[in-house]
Amino acid sequence: MTLFNEEDTAEVYDFISYLNMKRKREAIKQMDLAPFSKDKRLIHQIQKSQGNRVNG
C-alpha cells in the first residue's frame, strides 16, 4: 500500500526543505555578529572574496 504518490512525495520534500531553511534563517537571526565585525582577518577575506566575484 502506497501512502504518497510521487507528486505528494515531492511536495512533502519541498515542505521539509522549507522548514529547514526557515530554522536556519531563525538561527542566523539569533547569532551575535558583533565579534565578527571586529575580526580584521575575516573582513579582509570577505573583501577579497567580493573582489574575486566582481573580477570573475
Side-chain angles (χ1 to χ4, degrees), residues 2 8 12 22 27 33 51 53-54:
T2 303
D8 289 342
V12 169
K22 184 178 174 185
L33 300 178
R53 273 189 253 139
V54 168

Side-chain angles (χ1 to χ4, degrees), residues 14-51:
D14 287 345
F15 183 68
I16 291 170
S17 297
Y18 162 77
L19 289 177
N20 285 331
M21 181 180 57
K22 184 178 174 185
R23 288 182 184 141
K24 287 177 186 177
R25 202 177 311 137
E26 288 300 317
I28 290 169
K29 285 181 185 178
Q30 300 297 323
M31 288 178 62
D32 179 16
L33 300 178
F36 297 110
S37 67
K38 297 175 185 172
D39 186 336
K40 291 181 182 183
R41 286 177 44 205
L42 178 62
I43 292 170
H44 177 72
Q45 287 177 331
I46 291 170
Q47 290 170 336
K48 186 176 178 182
S49 175
Q50 289 173 331

